Amino acid sequence: MDTVPDCVPYDVLDVACPSRMVLARVGEKWTVRILLSLDRSVLRFTELRGLLTDITPKVLTETLRALERDGLVARQVFAEVPPRVEYRLTPLGTSLLDAVQTLRSWSEANAAQIVEARARADARALV
């Protein structure tokens, strides 16, 4: 069982602070894309795989388990043949969406500038 170190107020720059783990989870490669996918609706594993075409089933499973453990995603298994499993955001996961949507909007609005800056830096590196 994890214990919460005494670091209130929380500070992501403090190596012992649990908020640092939260920031690390949000910053993982697939977390934001999974959260954005589940914002659309409740999805089955194969539907998530269809939206996230470049993720392997193993990594999707591992990431969903981690998000479920952290209370951001809920997994519901239906007693059917074949078994049906659905994933949805929890209220905690939904509360994270404002920040994630802001990051998405910023990324989409500034992608061209980032691509141009990279091209200039790469061109300078060749000289």
Side-chain angles (χ1 to χ4, degrees):
M1 182 176 190
D2 294 331
T3 59
V4 179
D6 185 21
C7 68
V8 177
Y10 291 109
D11 179 0
V12 296
L13 300 179
D14 179 346
V15 71
C17 188
S19 64
R20 191 176 181 127
M21 295 179 307
V22 175
L23 187 61
R25 171 73 66 226
V26 173
E28 286 180 355
K29 181 175 181 177
W30 296 104
T31 296
V32 168
R33 291 181 59 199
I34 289 172
L35 294 175
L36 288 170
S37 296
L38 290 173
D39 182 32
R40 299 176 182 182
S41 64
V42 174
L43 296 173
R44 296 175 73 171
F45 185 89
T46 53
E47 294 170 321
L48 273 168
R49 267 284 275 144
L51 292 172
L52 306 169
T53 56
D54 50 339
I55 191 171
T56 65
K58 178 182 183 235
V59 171
L60 179 56
T61 298
E62 290 170 351
T63 306
L64 285 167
R65 285 181 182 157
L67 293 171
E68 183 181 12
R69 179 175 183 246
D70 289 345
L72 299 170
V73 169
R75 178 179 183 262
Q76 184 173 8
V77 180
F78 295 87
E80 300 175 357
V81 178
R84 178 170 51 111
V85 179
E86 292 180 344
Y87 296 90
R88 67 179 39 81
L89 293 177
T90 64
L92 184 62
T94 300
S95 73
L96 179 57
L97 278 176
D98 283 342
V100 169
Q101 292 288 12
T102 299
L103 181 58
R104 177 186 188 166
S105 296
W106 185 91
S107 298
E108 292 171 351
N110 293 285
Q113 291 179 59
I114 300 293
V115 169
E116 290 169 9
R118 285 182 179 181
R120 285 191 303 274
D122 292 348
R124 286 192 302 270
L126 294 175
V127 177

